[in-house]
Structure formats: structure tokens, C-alpha cells
Amino acid sequence: MIFNGNYNIVIKNFAYLSILKGLDIGLPLLIIPYLTHVLGTSYFGKYSFVLAIIQTINIFTSYGYLFSATKKISQNRDDKHVVNQIMNAVFAGRFIVATFIVVLVVMLSNVIFKDEYEWFMFLTAIGMIYGDIFIPTWLFQGLEQMKYVTIVNAIAKLLFTMLVFAIVTRQQDFKYILLLNSLGCVTSAFFSMVLVKRMFKLHLFIPKWSVVREELKDGFSIFLSTLGMSVYRNLNIIILNYFVSSSAVGIYALAEKVIKALQSLINPISQALYPHFGYRIKESDNRKKDLYSLFKIAVFLTILLVVASLALYFLTGYVGYVVGHDFTGSSGIINIMLPVVVFGCLNYLLGFVGLVNMDKQRFFLGAVVVSGTVAIIILLCTVNTFGIESAAWAMSISELLLFAFCFIKLFCIYRHA
């Protein structure tokens, strides 16, 4: 047993999160080979560049709420008034941050985007930013009620997939892909809010600024941590876009998507444990026992991740057959990034489930900042020599460094508990 208490909820939430992640893996496995054949490396690179910008903006708008709000809701789940206050404060905070960043990007559009196609794709993708605000996965996780939001998200993802196959049939249709993504996000947001109203009897209102400010303050350290991690997880594509061709960006982006898809197989375990572990930490007075349980999970995950990485290593030779021979270069990039599969997942477990729940956000933030800075330095110093391989090495080295920081800190806490 990992923790004392009722495990049925954890297992159910793990199952629902696994379904979501399964769709995140399965649907791209259908879409990506199709898109690479229809678009080619150059247009796939443009699409990946704009998508990376949207994902980075969503990191800003998430503002650490996925962890700080989930933890707070989990600890106050029996107080409907407090949960309603937190929910609306998070919505308001995210909306303010999103609007500020969107306006900033619009003002700098001539600097950020290479041509009118990238600019058009960004405009069509704004629905992904605002739609994501009102998909409160953190609320359902904190209340440990993932069933219905899983169904809603699954329907939206399936809708997007079907529309891609129906509408994107020619190379010039690449500019509509993110518009379809926006449609899926907005649809998911609408039905998510219907669930919030009907299941939990929560309602929308304009919160007091003092409450919004409190939630912004609570999520700030975690926000900086997640932002730092996104530096070498999402910004590689953006940085590469200014140093290499769109075709090279497309080859790297494909490799990164494969790595992230494999990580998604394991992440539901950590995501399901996060609110449960946070609640147990609050109630438990035996820190050493809790950490020992966390280390056991880490060992189990390491075995799974190593096996998965080895399987991927032997399958990379078939990349060209699946996505087209123009993307054969992705095989070598995938092999360089295999350590990211192992250490990236362990960093999520040890960093967020372990350190954040134990109120060690400041240490985790420092570790992320150092690791992210190392990634940027490696990439900028080597990209002109090694091209897209420099981004792969930068990510792998940074994840390994972050793992060392997290493990050493938790082991020290365990020894002195």
C-alpha cells in the first residue's frame, strides 16, 4: 500500500487521467502521420512553431494554479463557499494574465512571426488560450471527481480529430489546424462549466480583487517553477525557429511530440497522486513514512520508464515509414532525448508531488531556474554548430540536472525526518 486510507478514489482518478492521456497519445498517433504527409516538413514546422507559442502562453495563464489551486481545493473540499471563491479567483486571475499576454504578442507580432501565415494561425488559436481558462481540470482533480470532465475532454478531442481529417486535405490547409483546435477547446470549456454548475452547484461571479490577489500570490512560486520547466520543454521550438529552417523545426518538433507522448503514459500516476498526497501530508505526522512511500513509487516508475525508453529506441528506425521519409532525421533526435522520458516524469513526481506538497516550492523553483538556465545556455551556444541536436541535448541534460536537485533534497529531508 502506498498510503493509508481509501485508495479507490486515487485508482479511479488515475484511470480517468489515463484515459485522457491515452487520447493525448492515441489521437496524435493518428493525426501526426497524416499531417506530416499532407503538410511536409516546412509547413509542419510552421504549425509546430505557432503551437509552441500557444502552449507557452498557456503556461503563463495556468500560473501554477494546476498545483496551488488543486492543493487548496483538496484541503477545503468540504467547504463549498471556499471552493467557489477559489474557482472564481482562479478564473479571474487567468483571464487577466491571458489578456495581458495576448495584447503583448499582438503588439510584437512583426517581431515574433516570420510571415502572415504564422500571424493568421496565432489569431485562429486564441480560442485555445481562453478556452483552456474555463476547463477547470484542477477543480475536478482537487475534488477527486475526474469522471465527467474526462468524458467532456474526450468528446472535444475526438471532435477535433475528425475535423482535421475532414478539412485539412491539402498543404495550404495547414493554417486551419489551430482554428480546429480552438473549436475543440471552446466546446470543452462550455460543457465543463455546465458540469461545474450541475455537479458541484458552483456558480460564476466577479470575485473581490483581494481574493484574486491571494490566489496569485499562492501560485507565484509554482508558476515560476512551471514557467522555468517550460523554458526547455516548450521554448526549444520557438528558439530554433530563429536559427534553423522551418523544415528542421518540423523534424525536431516531431521528435519532441513522440517523447512527450511517451511521457503522457506515466504522468497520470503523478497527477492522480498529487491531491491525495497533499491531503495526506496535511493530516499525517509521519513525514519519513510518506517519503518512503514516494520513493517506492519512484522506483516503480523508473522501471516502467526504462522499459518504455528501450522499446522506443528499437522502434525509432521505423519513423520514416510511419510519418514520411522527409522526417527520418527525427529518429536520431528521439534517441538523444530518451533520458527526458525517464527524468522528466520523475521530476514531476519528486518535484510537484513531493517537494511542492511539502511546501518546498522555493527550493524547487531555484532548481528549475538553474536547470532551465543551463538549457538555454547550451542551446544558444551550440545551435549554430549542431543545429536541432543542440536542443535535444539541452533538454536531456537539464532534466538530468533537475532530477539530481530534487532527489538529493528529498533524500536529505528523509534522513532528518
Side-chain angles (χ1 to χ4, degrees):
M1 303 293 276
I2 297 172
F3 300 105
N4 292 325
N6 187 350
Y7 297 92
N8 290 332
I9 294 177
V10 177
I11 294 172
K12 286 180 180 179
N13 283 307
F14 165 68
Y16 294 131
L17 284 166
S18 295
I19 292 172
L20 278 178
K21 291 302 179 181
L23 289 172
D24 285 341
I25 298 169
L27 296 182
L29 287 178
L30 292 175
I31 294 175
I32 290 176
Y34 176 75
L35 290 180
T36 54
H37 280 94
V38 172
L39 304 183
T41 55
S42 181
Y43 287 112
F44 185 76
K46 289 182 178 293
Y47 153 71
S48 299
F49 167 67
V50 179
L51 179 61
I53 290 177
I54 297 299
Q55 290 172 336
T56 302
I57 293 174
N58 281 342
I59 293 292
F60 278 92
T61 62
S62 294
Y63 195 79
Y65 289 134
L66 179 60
F67 302 99
S68 64
T70 298
K71 179 181 177 182
K72 209 166 184 178
I73 287 173
S74 177
Q75 294 175 345
N76 296 278
R77 65 181 70 176
D78 298 324
D79 192 328
K80 179 180 174 182
H81 175 72
V82 172
V83 171
N84 209 21
Q85 288 277 0
I86 295 170
M87 181 189 77
N88 283 281
V90 170
F91 285 154
R94 294 194 67 187
F95 187 87
I96 292 170
V97 173
T99 302
F100 173 78
I101 296 175
V102 168
V103 170
L104 185 63
V105 172
V106 170
M107 292 173 60
L108 297 174
S109 59
N110 289 332
V111 177
I112 296 173
F113 303 106
K114 288 182 177 180
D115 52 47
E116 67 274 12
Y117 294 116
E118 293 179 355
W119 168 234
F120 175 80
M121 291 178 73
F122 172 77
L123 292 177
T124 63
I126 289 178
M128 295 173 64
I129 299 170
Y130 287 100
D132 186 67
I133 292 173
F134 294 99
I135 304 175
T137 305
W138 43 269
L139 175 67
F140 289 92
Q141 275 190 258
L143 296 173
E144 297 192 276
Q145 297 288 334
M146 288 296 297
K147 178 179 179 180
Y148 297 104
V149 75
T150 299
I151 295 173
V152 166
N153 277 278
I155 292 172
K157 291 175 187 295
L158 289 170
L159 172 65
F160 162 70
T161 302
M162 290 186 292
L163 288 175
V164 167
F165 283 115
I167 295 175
V168 183
T169 58
R170 301 170 301 170
Q171 195 172 62
Q172 55 264 42
D173 294 332
F174 79 98
K175 54 185 178 291
Y176 301 122
I177 301 173
L178 294 180
L179 176 62
L180 300 178
N181 251 318
S182 289
L183 178 61
C185 283
V186 172
T187 302
S188 182
F190 173 78
F191 286 107
S192 293
M193 295 313 301
V194 171
L195 287 177
V196 167
K197 175 70 174 177
R198 293 190 176 182
M199 286 183 62
F200 309 127
K201 310 302 180 185
L202 302 176
H203 60 279
L204 294 173
F205 60 85
I206 299 176
K208 295 180 180 179
W209 171 245
S210 59
V211 181
V212 177
R213 185 175 57 195
E214 180 184 349
E215 293 304 320
L216 286 169
K217 182 179 178 181
D218 287 345
F220 185 67
S221 294
I222 302 175
F223 160 66
L224 292 178
S225 299
T226 53
L227 178 63
M229 294 183 77
S230 75
V231 165
Y232 55 88
R233 288 186 173 182
N234 290 325
L235 291 188
N236 276 355
I237 291 175
I238 297 175
I239 294 173
L240 284 175
N241 191 63
Y242 299 106
F243 290 92
V244 300
S245 66
S246 295
S247 295
V249 172
I251 291 171
Y252 174 83
L254 176 65
E256 191 175 273
K257 287 180 183 295
V258 171
I259 293 297
K260 289 182 177 180
L262 188 54
Q263 283 182 309
S264 297
L265 286 169
I266 309 298
N267 280 345
I269 298 176
S270 297
Q271 290 176 325
L273 283 171
Y274 179 79
H276 187 75
F277 192 73
Y279 184 77
R280 296 303 303 173
I281 285 291
K282 178 184 176 183
E283 301 293 323
S284 173
D285 57 358
N286 192 338
R287 186 63 57 86
K288 194 162 191 171
K289 182 179 180 181
D290 293 333
L291 276 174
Y292 180 71
S293 298
L294 187 68
F295 288 145
K296 287 200 298 184
I297 299 170
V299 172
F300 171 71
L301 280 181
T302 300
I303 295 171
L304 285 180
L305 292 165
V306 169
V307 171
S309 298
L310 288 173
L312 180 59
Y313 175 78
F314 290 109
L315 291 173
T316 52
Y318 299 95
V319 168
Y321 296 102
V322 177
V323 297
H325 292 291
D326 289 343
F327 288 86
T328 303
S330 296
S331 300
I333 304 301
I334 292 172
N335 289 336
I336 295 173
M337 296 173 67
L338 285 177
V340 175
V341 176
V342 178
F343 296 114
C345 292
L346 290 177
N347 288 337
Y348 189 103
L349 177 70
L350 300 182
F352 289 108
V353 179
L355 290 172
V356 171
N357 271 321
M358 292 182 176
D359 295 321
K360 302 297 181 184
Q361 294 98 321
R362 289 182 180 274
F363 175 85
F364 186 50
L365 167 61
V368 168
V369 168
V370 171
S371 301
T373 302
V374 169
I376 293 177
I377 292 173
I378 292 174
L379 177 55
L380 293 178
C381 291
T382 61
V383 65
N384 287 324
T385 303
F386 299 104
I388 57 177
E389 288 187 3
S390 61
W393 282 112
M395 185 179 289
S396 293
I397 293 171
S398 297
E399 293 286 5
L400 175 59
L401 183 60
L402 182 58
F403 170 77
F405 283 132
C406 293
F407 178 79
I408 291 172
K409 181 64 174 178
L410 285 173
F411 187 73
C412 290
I413 296 173
Y414 175 80
R415 289 193 62 184
H416 292 95

